[in-house]
């Protein structure tokens, strides 16, 4: 069975040596001293290792079952969910006014990585609940907040988001679910939603569905869409549960992975709903959930990579097969461990350098969200630019790295007992949901690049330039600053290509959108490795005791700069071929 | 449910316009006229579409079940297998002396692609049988051939190959299975083999296991290994089945995919075995099967890509979502089909240009095998060089393309009902078995590059140079010959790097082995697209009626040259970083 150990040391290095969070001038960060964050992350790691990770294969094997409208989650999920709530994990970064612990989103993200690496299907239940909490916290009335938030914060109730319908996913303008206004100010919701994660289950006493639907008078397309709170059980004025609402799970899907999470077809048959936020402005409210969910999915990408990597390393150290080409390294044994072989190391270094870089990018992104929450418009603009990168790049690569980790196991990687297949199958969904990665690329190139007259991408380029300048004359950093400078120039060249060609031929930009998403991902990780290397060098010079750890950071970063960052040139070459090769064929010539 | 249509037109284009098989001066090729090959491929396509493809999801869902030593294959497999044998498909390219039809291996490969695309798990049963046929045909005595071949050719009996043991896969020198010589010239085989595809099933009346084992006196390591024929039922002198042999399936594995094929743990408890080929030369005999199996696995790679691609195209034409950025293309409908969107086209063009290029490479490889079978040493050397490329590159990319096809389906791609998950899960094993792709890369760089003083790689470079020269001054071909020339230079530069650095530091070569495998794959596909483009241009000028088909070939080739071939530069950049970044970390620093 696969194991999982929380990478607390790596997280601490990021928080305290790379980001220096206590000096960051973000409210709440001043309290995050080393011992405090270590205590929280260690505790999260303990729960993940002891409770969640052992349930991961159980959830995969058993899946969820729907009988007579009731969904049964895998054995052990209910007890774990209760323990998770009782330990206060769901409340970590929630508003103290509603029972939260008021810690920064950054810390919630770090703890979230630990839980999602240990058991992705399980953590979707509290993860989606957090999204519903955020949407109601941002857009709800005081009365709505008082009714719904405390029990979402405690995970006594859970949340869902309902967007997709059978005939429309990305193109929500075609939505058919209707909301009919009632005399008492409520709405009757009627329609069918699909792919609803945690739509029905036995973990919580109530489920708070956030549902997009069309109310009369809003016009065509997405403009007519509003967001509604539709609980499974109505809530009485005294806060106790009342009648069952007219919403039910019609089916749960057989999926490739995340079997422990119930993916439901939800039928709304005149269910009572409460308008959340402004009428006909539902898309805006839903985006509060969606942007948070996209960062969360970006975490899933590298967290599955991390879990798979840990097991691949253990196997590569343990499995004896062949001899090192430079001479036996385990001469008294029948063969050397796999880890002596260069191609195995290449695969492990690919995984390690990606996962650690993606974690740094995600933590940086989380800190931007904390800043944005305090009204920092520049941070808000930057995280809006980076969200599709964090979601799209990290899930594409996270999946690729889970596959690479599985490959280390040879034939055993294909056998379900070993657990590597589950990491791959679970990681696969992250490339698809919360906006398939092609949509992330479209969002990045078609919307975020030009947003606010291109201010955010220019700010990002300034950050890259400042980073390169900062290491001028620092010989230690040449292997980082030089390639980062080259890569930055290439990303700017691609942006320039879009600017010069995209107006007369939008397809010339969109044909290169996925390539640009990956360029951005690579340059972000190059930036992160540059920062990590600087912090490691400085700590070494300051006499930090953990020399081996810091030297490994530098070596891993050098690997990324030497062997991964050059992918940017390939993406640029592709982008510069423009629309023609991509659009040449008639639709019936495929 | 997914559909499958055999790409007969594409195959005919390759056989008759690109390769011009009838002019090739290979025995048997002269008889392959257009109508004849069309009739065979159409008939194979009919069987694949009507019988095998509908059974593909059935096999995935039901899997195989072991009860009391008997394996039950999925419903419908037995009837399909009988029909497959009755139609003469297993005999297609077998020796007429043993009931075969004597057609070239090339034609067997083309038909094989069709069957494996429709149902990979099913086709493994006859596929492995063909491997056993080849090993016995090459290494067996006349008596052995007479006993075993006719019923392998008819698939009345099936075959297996038994290499792997629990503690050794790649490193067969550690093998523990023993062969004890008996007074009557037979051997008693004792040991446990794992991952034995088709090791036990209910499709055939007998199963002919080819088993590697150590007989006394052979010395240590792989030198002591011999190959044995170990039938499930002993065969009496009159050819009828006798007693059950002491071999049985102890377990079947739960796998990520190919559920329709029984992957068995085989226990040999003093089973009667017959030496095949020379004593202590078993590795050589097994390689006959293994090389054939590696080409077959290379076919699995792109064939799963083809099947997934066909379904992605159909979905992209059918699913209405969003509007073309250049203006509605389906103005009377609620939205445009997915296929109008540049990023969807990019994904489809990636798939199409890979699959058609890989098919061309495989057919070329099959023609080299046909030549080699006639004693052509140059062809033998070249296919020996290309075998790891066909296996490794085509399965890595085939999986990647199946994932890309699944992605086109958005959320539906993750739901098992739609069948895209199965293509991905099935394709995954091809990267692992018959030598994991890292082993293919090691074989290529560590063995094949320098084989016969580097004669084969030099011959390959000559072929590339000749191809570029052949189009000198042909303006139509500039978009092919120019990038092929650049790519060829880069591949040679990588080979030179290995030559200059590999001797003093073998790790410098091995750290780049997977990159070199991919360089070779890309340059081979670049070569194939150059040949295909030339054939298409010539046919257009000759007034070939199928203009749209030929123009699509050229456009698809241009896409590959513009957007895929440049990956070679990235691989070269990685190779030239040498061993240091890959080997820098201590094993305990991972």
């Amino acid at each position: 069975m696969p194991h999982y150990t929380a990478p607390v040391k790596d997280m601490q290095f990021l928080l305290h040596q790379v980001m220096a969070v206590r000096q960051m001038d973000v409210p709440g960060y001043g309290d995050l001293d080393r011992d405090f964050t270590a205590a929280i992350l260690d505790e999260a790691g303990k729960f993940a290792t002891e409770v969640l990770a052992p349930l991961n294969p159980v959830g995969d094997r058993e899946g969820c079952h729907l009988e007579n409208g009731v969904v049964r989650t895998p054995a052990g999920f209910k007890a774990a969910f209760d323990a998770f709530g009782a330990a206060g994990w769901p409340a970590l970064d929630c508003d103290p006014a509603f029972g939260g612990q008021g810690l920064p989103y950054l810390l919630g993200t770090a703890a979230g990585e630990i839980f999602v690496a240990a058991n992705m299907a399980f953590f979707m239940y509290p993860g989606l609940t957090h999204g519903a909490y955020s949407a109601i916290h941002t857009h709800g009335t005081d009365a709505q907040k008082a009714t719904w938030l405390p029990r979402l914060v405690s995970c006594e109730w859970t949340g869902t988001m309902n967007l997709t319908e059978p005939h429309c996913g990305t193109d929500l303008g075609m939505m058919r679910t209707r909301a009919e206004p009632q005399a008492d100010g409520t709405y009757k919701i009627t329609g069918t939603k699909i792919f609803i994660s945690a739509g029905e289950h036995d973990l919580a006493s109530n489920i708070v569905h956030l549902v997009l639907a069309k109310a009369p008078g809003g016009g065509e397309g997405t403009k007519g869409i509003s967001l509604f709170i539709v609980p499974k059980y109505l809530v009485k004025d005294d806060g106790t549960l009342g009648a069952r609402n007219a919403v039910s799970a019609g089916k749960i899907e057989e999926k490739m992975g995340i079997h422990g999470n119930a993916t439901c077809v939800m039928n709304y048959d005149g269910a009572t709903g409460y308008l959340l936020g402004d009428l006909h402005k539902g898309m805006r409210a839903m985006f509060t959930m969606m942007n948070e969910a996209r960062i969360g999915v970006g975490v899933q990408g590298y967290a599955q990579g991390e879990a798979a990597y840990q097991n691949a390393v253990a196997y590569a150290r343990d499995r004896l097969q062949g001899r090192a080409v430079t001479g036996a390294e385990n001469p008294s044994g029948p063969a050397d461990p796999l880890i002596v072989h260069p191609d195995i190391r290449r695969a492990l270094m690919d995984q390690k350098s990606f996962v650690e870089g993606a974690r740094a990018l995600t933590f940086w992104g989380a800190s931007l969200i904390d800043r944005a929450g305090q009204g920092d418009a520049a941070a808000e603009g930057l995280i809006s630019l980076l969200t599709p990168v964090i979601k799209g790049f990290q899930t594409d690569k996270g999946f690729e790295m889970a596959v690479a980790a599985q490959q280390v196991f040879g034939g055993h990687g294909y056998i379900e007992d070993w657990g590597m297949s589950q990491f791959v199958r679970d990681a696969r969904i992250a490339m698809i949901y919360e906006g398939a990665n092609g949509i992330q690329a479209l969002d990045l190139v078609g919307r975020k690049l030009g947003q606010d007259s291109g201010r955010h991408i220019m700010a990002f380029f300034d950050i890259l330039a400042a980073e390169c300048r900062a290491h001028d004359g620092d010989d230690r950093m040449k292997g980082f600053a030089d390639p980062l400078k080259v890569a930055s120039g290439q990303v700017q060249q691609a942006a320039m290509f879009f600017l010069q060609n995209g107006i007369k031929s939008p397809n010339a930009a969109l044909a290169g959108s996925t390539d640009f998403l990956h360029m951005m991902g690579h340059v972000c990780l190059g930036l992160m490795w540059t920062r990590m290397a600087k912090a490691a060098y400085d700590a070494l010079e300051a006499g930090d005791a953990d020399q081996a750890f810091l030297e490994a950071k530098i070596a891993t970063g050098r690997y990324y700069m030497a062997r991964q960052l050059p992918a940017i040139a390939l993406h640029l070459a592709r982008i510069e071929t423009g629309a023609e090769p991509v659009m040449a064929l008639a639709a019936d010539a495929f």
Side-chain angles (χ1 to χ4, degrees), chain A:
Chain A
M1 199 172 71
H3 68 93
Y4 172 71
T5 307
V8 174
K9 197 195 250 194
D10 294 87
M11 290 181 168
Q12 289 280 89
F13 171 70
L14 279 178
L15 293 173
H16 301 291
Q17 287 170 274
V18 182
M19 301 172 75
V21 286
R22 293 191 67 189
Q23 279 81 60
M24 270 180 80
D25 190 29
V26 181
Y29 279 28
D31 301 331
L32 300 178
D33 69 45
R34 261 184 181 279
D35 291 348
F36 178 70
T37 58
I40 289 182
L41 298 175
D42 279 336
E43 206 53 42
K46 195 161 173 283
F47 193 86
T49 299
E50 293 176 3
V51 180
L52 297 184
L55 279 179
N56 198 37
V58 176
D60 188 53
R61 235 176 6 244
E62 285 193 20
C64 296
H65 298 278
L66 173 66
E67 274 167 43
N68 306 319
V70 177
V71 169
R72 185 164 41 80
T73 55
F77 268 47
K78 171 68 176 150
F81 193 76
D82 290 346
F84 188 80
W89 291 116
L92 198 71
D93 57 1
C94 293
D95 186 346
F98 305 101
Q101 298 176 33
L103 288 171
Y105 179 76
L106 171 60
L107 215 63
T109 301
E113 178 199 315
I114 292 172
F115 300 132
V116 82
N119 195 325
M120 176 163 156
F122 175 93
F123 190 64
M124 290 173 69
Y125 296 103
L128 286 157
T129 304
H130 195 284
Y133 155 84
S134 294
I136 297 173
H137 192 258
T138 309
H139 301 284
T141 64
D142 286 346
Q144 286 175 331
K145 291 185 196 182
T147 303
W148 305 108
L149 292 186
R151 275 174 281 196
L152 288 172
V153 166
S154 64
C155 270
E156 195 183 331
W157 302 345
T158 65
T160 72
M161 53 195 291
N162 290 237
L163 291 78
T164 306
E165 301 184 4
H167 63 290
C168 72
T170 302
D171 192 353
L172 291 171
M174 296 198 285
M175 185 173 288
R176 290 182 192 147
T177 299
R178 298 277 150 195
E180 288 303 321
Q182 306 297 304
D184 63 355
T186 66
Y187 290 77
K188 291 282 179 220
I189 311 293
T190 303
T192 298
K193 297 286 184 179
I194 64 169
F195 302 157
I196 308 310
S197 299
E200 178 59 57
H201 58 78
D202 54 6
L203 301 180
S205 60
N206 202 4
I207 302 176
V208 182
H209 303 289
L210 297 194
V211 184
L212 287 182
K214 286 189 170 176
E220 286 305 301
T222 55
K223 285 191 288 291
I225 292 174
S226 305
L227 184 60
F228 299 89
I229 300 171
V230 186
K232 175 177 169 183
Y233 289 99
L234 299 175
V235 177
K236 296 190 228 170
D237 290 342
D238 65 359
T240 61
L241 296 184
R244 176 74 193 249
N245 205 352
V247 47
S248 60
K251 182 189 173 191
I252 55 180
E253 306 284 1
E254 289 290 335
K255 309 184 298 292
M256 186 176 179
I258 50 166
H259 295 157
N261 200 280
T263 304
C264 300
V265 174
M266 299 303 297
N267 296 318
Y268 294 87
D269 303 309
T272 297
Y274 312 98
L275 181 68
L276 177 62
D278 296 333
L279 188 65
H280 304 142
K281 299 273 201 268
M283 290 299 287
R284 206 178 54 189
M286 187 52 97
F287 262 101
T288 305
M289 285 184 81
M290 206 127 78
N291 278 333
E292 182 180 304
R294 284 176 177 179
I295 302 291
V297 174
V299 173
Q300 292 179 339
Y302 79 83
Q304 290 307 297
E306 164 78 31
Y309 164 75
Q310 288 189 12
N311 288 280
V313 169
Y315 188 82
R317 284 195 188 116
D318 186 57
R319 175 81 170 174
L320 304 180
Q321 207 79 179
R323 289 291 183 193
V325 67
T326 46
E329 297 198 9
N330 175 35
S332 60
D336 287 342
L338 287 182
I339 203 163
V340 307
H341 301 301
D343 193 62
I344 295 288
R345 285 194 166 242
R346 172 200 57 78
L348 294 176
M349 291 299 292
D350 280 348
Q351 297 162 51
K352 180 174 169 66
S353 65
F354 161 71
V355 166
E356 293 178 14
R359 177 179 300 123
L361 175 59
T362 303
F363 280 24
W364 184 39
S367 77
L368 292 171
I369 290 175
D370 279 324
R371 283 187 197 275
Q374 307 292 333
D376 180 335
E380 169 112 44
L382 195 52
I383 190 59
S384 151
L385 175 75
L386 295 179
T387 296
V389 179
I390 290 173
K391 196 280 182 183
F393 178 74
Q394 292 187 180
T395 59
D396 275 0
K397 285 286 167 188
F399 173 74
E400 192 184 318
M401 294 306 142
V403 170
Q406 181 187 29
Q407 188 74 14
V408 170
F409 282 70
H412 295 103
Y414 202 65
I415 307 298
E416 291 293 353
D417 281 349
W418 288 79
M420 300 307 286
S421 164
Q422 185 185 358
F423 293 132
V424 171
R425 291 184 290 99
D426 286 359
R428 183 68 185 88
I429 188 59
M431 297 159 72
I432 298 174
Y433 61 17
E434 306 307 339
N437 286 356
I439 297 300
Q440 304 299 325
L442 180 66
D443 178 45
L444 176 65
V445 170
R447 218 162 68 85
K448 300 295 175 64
L449 264 191
Q451 206 173 33
D452 295 331
S453 312
R455 189 183 308 156
H456 312 308
I457 185 75
M458 295 311 297
F460 177 69
F461 289 151
D462 287 346
I463 290 170
L464 291 173
E467 187 72 34
C468 293
R469 267 199 314 276
H471 308 298
D472 255 1
D474 183 346
D475 280 350
R476 303 172 311 175
M477 291 297 294
K478 252 187 95 59
F480 292 88
D482 288 357
L484 184 62
K485 198 167 178 183
V486 172
S488 304
Q490 290 167 329
V491 179
Q492 293 186 47
Q493 194 177 327
M496 193 56 68
F497 177 87
F498 292 152
L499 196 67
Q500 288 169 343
N501 297 276
I503 294 161
K504 58 178 188 285
S505 162
N507 283 342
L510 298 183
S513 55
T514 288
D515 284 296
F516 191 73
L517 179 93
H518 278 254
M519 285 185 101
M520 284 288 288
H522 279 297
V523 84
C524 282
L525 263 56
L527 175 66
M528 293 300 114
W529 274 116
T530 304
R531 290 179 178 175
M532 287 192 275
K534 176 70 165 65
Y537 277 122
D538 287 352
L540 279 171
E541 292 199 356
D544 187 307
D546 208 344
Q547 200 177 331
F549 173 82
L550 296 166
E551 285 171 352
K553 281 285 171 214
I554 294 166
T556 307
R558 279 196 294 117
Y559 181 92
Y560 195 86
M561 304 311 273
R563 291 190 45 105
Q564 291 301 323
L565 200 62
I568 285 186
L570 171 60
H571 292 298
L572 176 61
R574 286 180 181 155
I575 286 170
E576 292 188 332
T577 63
E580 199 276 336
V582 172
M583 305 304 288
L585 287 197
D588 59 7
F590 278 88

